[in-house]
Amino acid sequence: MDLYEYQGKELFRLLEIPVPDGRAASTAAEARDAAEGLGGQVVVKAQVLTGGRGKAGGIKPADGPAEAESRAEEILGLNINGHVVRRLWVERASEVAREYYLSVTFDRGEKKPLFMLTREGGVDIEEVAASTPEKVARLHVEPLTGFQPFEARWLCFAAGITEPGEMKQVVDIIKKLRGGFSALDAMLLEINPLIVTPEGEVRALDAKVTIDDNALYRHSRIAEGQASEDGDPQERMARERGVTYVKLDGEIGVLGNGAGLVMSTLDVVGQAGGRPANFCDLGGGAQADSVVSALEVITSDRSVRGIVFNIFGGITRGDEVARGLLEALDRLTIDLPIVVRLDGTLAEAGRALLAERAPQNVYVESTMLAAAGRVVELAS
Amino acid sequence: MAIIVDERTRVVVQGITGREGQFHAMRNRAYGTAVVAGVTPGKGGADVEGVPVFDSVRAAVAETNPNTAMVFVPAPFAADAIFEAVDAGIETVICITEGIPAHDMLRVYSHIRPRGVRLIGPNCPGVLSPGKANVGIIPAEIFSEGSVGLVSRSGTLTYQIGHELTQLGIGQSSIVGIGGDPVVGSSFIDILQLFEADRETEIVIMVGEIGGAEEEKAAAFIAERMAKPAVSYIAGFSAPPGKTMGHAGAIISGTSGTAQAKAEALRAHGVQVGANPTEAAQLVAAIAGAAT
């Protein structure tokens, strides 16, 4: 789960990583109050889960409460890469002498946390990493040992951060990131930029935090804040109903049992000349209730012109799958063509059941390729 | 021979009194696998359809001498269960549980790797050696005995490919689901190495999906270290960048990790890649046909 900047900064504050003072706001009036409380120059920042906020006009300085209010009015409602701004973070403006980049991420290849530190922080960090990788200090750390100061010193020396006062502060932040990374079950903690003020103070000007979805049960406070957040309407509906669904931009609705099989189904729909409208995984079986929820989410997307339902019966037998599907179709009114591909254990019995009892808009196929071809043909 | 599980496998099922644990333990036993014990803390002394239940893995080991643990314990307690199995001297752990926090698995992996313990999973369907043993949730009826080794990150997609092979009359030596999580105990390369050394396996099929770089590493391994022919299938060509498709591991970041990049790496190393499961099975059949 990706967190907003303001949530990330709250966590940083708990970890005692220095961040500028700031307050969240969801109206222009709240932004004004926030600026008044903070005093002096502030920065009004759009809270969206996408990059490029600054370039899109989502980050603006303001000199005092009145200006903060009008900047907030400009930013609220902005559409940044498909994300509508509904919340702001108003923080005290920082003077910036230098911009660094510091992160710790989960390197699944090495199966170790990976720290990265460079003095070339700021907006074009990916460009820096690609064109001048030697400027980015990288260090894998041992998961079982806990923080060791040499790791942080090594990173600083390798990145060219050698001024003693500055280095001491960066080492301290690395130590706190290391502890927070495991304590928060984070997949990513990223500070870009990590700034140095003209007075030599180091602090985090931004916060990108991703928490492992599988570990949210032990971070209930973080999980709560996110439950009702915005996003695509179909994806929100899916979340509410516990359906594993990802919105895509085609016209063929796809559902099946098992993530790998569904991904493979998206591919064969593409090979048949169609474009998948979504990814939807029912998990192991195909009980009527979950099929109903999934079909409701899929058909709420108006661009869907046909649906392919790919089920491989393993332990869940084909005839049980067919009964679940028939029950689901009974409870819904769907006019779109639905192509069902049922294969695996007792698939013939299941297909026979469907052929006998399913409504007219349901077509039954025995192979994935035939089903994909059929649904593309019916949807065009 | 087959790999990981065979006639010598003796299984202790951790979480045997749970619904899933019991159901699959009984299925595995019905297949002919020696399910010798179960463990559920607090239920020692009970039995599940004749399988004795112990309070700890140590107690189960002392009484019934298992060499393999199958973990069905719920995600919040699964890492602890794996540590317990390893502490009791179990050499092979097959963890079916899905949803285990990645940091838990990071600690498990770092602890067991230097000890030489073999961990399959988590979030995997297990291992089946047709005609010999089934440890996990793979529906054995779809598969048949033969000489094709199958290794996969996915569940139902594995069954799909096995089904396609079986329909073409091609049996399998072992089917290994390594799981789709960010941290899994065994990589493609670990399993390919076992297949290469296995006398019963003649051809290997590797089923991958988007995310990570394991398929790319496996491609180099196949080219440099394997004499046996290998075929591959990769799912996720239509997956847009930056979206997660159900498996925690199947995340694309930037250009690396895409299905396209994986298929290209495999082809560049001389591995044939099927465009869909049917074609992948046909490629295996063509190699098998040429060999006979």
Side-chain angles (χ1 to χ4, degrees):
Chain A
M1 189 181 74
D2 296 332
L3 301 189
Y4 291 95
E5 176 194 5
Y6 76 92
Q7 296 171 309
K9 282 187 170 160
E10 277 164 21
L11 292 174
F12 279 5
R13 201 186 296 277
L14 292 176
L15 295 173
E16 297 178 341
I17 292 170
V19 289
D21 277 342
R23 292 177 191 182
S26 45
T27 65
E30 282 176 22
R32 183 196 174 91
D33 292 348
E36 206 163 288
L38 293 164
Q41 281 220 319
V42 296
V43 183
V44 182
K45 304 175 86 176
Q47 298 298 291
V48 280
L49 296 174
T50 181
R53 285 182 301 172
K55 287 177 188 160
I59 300 177
K60 288 180 176 167
D63 202 357
E67 210 176 306
E69 185 173 8
S70 39
R71 294 294 91 82
E73 271 165 12
E74 290 161 24
I75 296 172
L76 282 167
L78 267 186
N79 186 321
I80 303 177
N81 303 329
H83 298 253
V84 178
V85 182
R86 298 209 169 87
R87 196 164 304 164
L88 303 166
W89 174 248
V90 183
E91 76 180 12
R92 188 169 288 150
S94 297
E95 278 189 83
V96 179
R98 289 184 292 283
E99 293 189 328
Y100 300 162
Y101 168 97
L102 173 61
S103 69
V104 54
T105 182
F106 202 99
D107 186 342
R108 49 187 274 173
E110 292 294 321
K111 298 185 175 69
K112 285 176 182 174
L114 169 65
F115 271 92
M116 288 191 274
L117 175 63
T118 172
R119 295 179 66 189
E120 312 273 326
V123 283
D124 293 321
I125 183 65
E126 284 173 36
E127 174 60 28
V128 171
S131 59
T132 49
E134 70 281 0
K135 288 185 176 167
V136 182
R138 296 159 183 263
L139 185 69
H140 286 101
V141 295
E142 288 301 325
L144 298 178
T145 57
F147 174 75
Q148 302 301 325
F150 83 88
E151 297 169 347
R153 288 198 307 270
W154 187 91
L155 277 163
C156 285
F157 284 123
I161 296 171
T162 50
E163 196 281 310
E166 200 173 288
M167 184 169 161
K168 187 164 173 284
Q169 295 175 71
V170 176
V171 163
D172 191 54
I173 292 173
I174 291 171
K175 175 183 177 178
K176 284 158 180 170
L177 284 180
R178 175 88 142 98
F181 191 62
S182 333
L184 293 168
D185 279 299
M187 302 304 278
L188 171 72
L189 297 176
E190 184 182 75
I191 307 174
N192 187 31
L194 177 72
I195 59 154
V196 186
T197 67
E199 293 76 38
E201 271 178 48
V202 180
R203 64 172 85 118
L205 214 57
D206 195 5
K208 266 208 184 63
V209 175
T210 305
I211 306 291
D212 179 9
D213 290 335
N214 285 341
L216 284 177
Y217 69 89
R218 50 192 180 204
H219 303 282
S220 50
R221 269 197 50 223
I222 298 173
E224 260 168 41
Q226 208 69 1
S228 60
E229 291 300 348
D230 51 6
D232 176 86
Q234 269 83 40
E235 293 192 356
R236 197 167 56 228
M237 180 175 174
R239 250 194 325 272
E240 284 161 14
R241 296 177 191 209
V243 175
T244 307
Y245 174 95
V246 179
K247 174 90 165 71
L248 305 173
D249 52 11
E251 65 290 328
I252 308 290
V254 179
L255 80 157
N257 61 335
L261 186 66
V262 179
M263 252 191 281
S264 179
T265 312
L266 300 182
D267 292 346
V268 295
V269 165
Q271 286 164 13
R275 290 186 317 149
N278 67 274
F279 165 98
C280 185
D281 175 17
L282 290 170
Q287 284 76 31
D289 285 345
S290 50
V291 176
V292 168
S293 299
L295 284 175
E296 278 176 351
V297 173
I298 289 171
T299 53
S300 72
D301 174 1
R302 293 284 154 222
S303 43
V304 170
R305 308 263 297 276
I307 297 168
V308 60
F309 190 174
N310 189 7
I311 291 281
F312 194 87
I315 285 153
T316 314
R317 296 165 11 183
D319 54 339
E320 293 169 26
V321 172
R323 275 191 207 95
L325 179 59
L326 287 169
E327 195 191 322
L329 291 171
D330 263 356
R331 285 154 56 183
L332 294 164
T333 42
I334 298 174
D335 301 325
L336 296 168
I338 301 177
V339 178
V340 180
R341 178 272 180 162
L342 183 58
D343 209 343
T345 313
L346 282 180
E348 273 176 41
R351 287 198 293 266
L353 212 58
L354 287 174
E356 189 188 312
R357 293 199 221 150
Q360 292 223 318
N361 59 330
V362 174
Y363 304 80
V364 182
E365 292 286 351
S366 61
T367 71
M368 261 170 85
L369 300 181
R374 191 72 175 274
V375 75
V376 170
E377 182 191 311
L378 289 165
S380 59
Chain B
M1 275 208 350
I3 65 168
I4 306 169
V5 303
D6 58 23
E7 302 92 335
R8 290 159 302 179
T9 297
R10 294 171 62 81
V11 184
V12 53
V13 182
Q14 294 175 265
I16 196 170
T17 54
R19 198 172 59 95
E20 295 283 303
Q22 175 164 357
F23 178 77
H24 291 288
M26 292 305 112
R27 277 184 68 96
N28 289 169
R29 186 174 68 171
Y31 189 74
T33 314
V35 177
V36 299
V39 171
T40 300
K43 295 200 177 161
D47 78 288
V48 170
E49 296 187 33
V51 177
V53 179
F54 298 88
D55 284 323
S56 67
V57 182
R58 281 191 185 216
V61 166
E63 295 282 322
T64 63
N65 198 29
N67 55 16
T68 302
M70 173 163 73
V71 178
F72 268 101
V73 171
F77 319 109
D80 180 51
I82 299 172
F83 279 122
E84 185 182 353
V86 173
D87 172 71
I90 300 286
E91 301 142 16
T92 300
V93 181
I94 297 175
C95 182
I96 310 300
T97 306
E98 64 175 280
I100 303 177
H103 280 271
D104 287 5
M105 285 313 302
L106 201 58
R107 284 183 281 270
V108 167
Y109 184 88
S110 306
H111 177 74
I112 67 168
R113 199 70 183 179
R115 288 170 174 75
V117 173
R118 186 177 312 290
L119 170 65
I120 305 292
N123 190 12
C124 81
V127 185
L128 163 66
S129 296
K132 300 185 178 70
N134 189 9
V135 182
I137 64 173
I138 297 176
E141 46 276 70
I142 294 160
F143 299 88
S144 57
E145 287 177 60
S147 59
V148 173
L150 168 53
V151 58
S152 169
R153 272 165 69 184
S154 164
T156 40
L157 190 53
T158 313
Y159 314 157
Q160 173 67 41
I161 302 239
H163 178 71
E164 304 259 9
L165 288 171
T166 301
Q167 288 196 319
L168 294 171
I170 297 169
Q172 303 86 28
S173 52
S174 293
I175 296 96
V176 184
I178 59 173
D181 277 0
V183 181
V184 291
S186 299
S187 65
F188 277 128
I189 290 177
D190 293 330
I191 306 304
L192 291 171
Q193 218 156 12
L194 295 176
F195 277 136
E196 176 69 8
D198 176 40
R199 267 182 298 162
E200 228 165 85
T201 303
E202 287 165 14
I203 304 171
V204 176
I205 177 165
M206 176 174 85
V207 181
E209 59 187 38
I210 51 168
E214 292 302 312
E215 290 83 355
E216 286 88 332
K217 289 186 202 159
F221 179 85
I222 291 167
E224 289 155 23
R225 310 282 290 277
M226 283 182 75
K228 293 177 184 176
V231 165
S232 184
Y233 170 69
I234 305 289
F237 282 88
S238 309
K243 295 259 188 179
T244 307
M245 296 284 174
H247 287 169
I251 300 170
I252 318 178
S253 45
T255 51
S256 75
T258 62
Q260 198 65 45
K262 289 175 191 299
E264 275 164 20
L266 285 157
R267 290 201 180 102
H269 284 94
V271 181
Q272 295 190 73
V273 183
N276 50 59
T278 310
E279 197 184 298
Q282 284 163 352
L283 290 171
V284 173
I287 295 173
T292 53

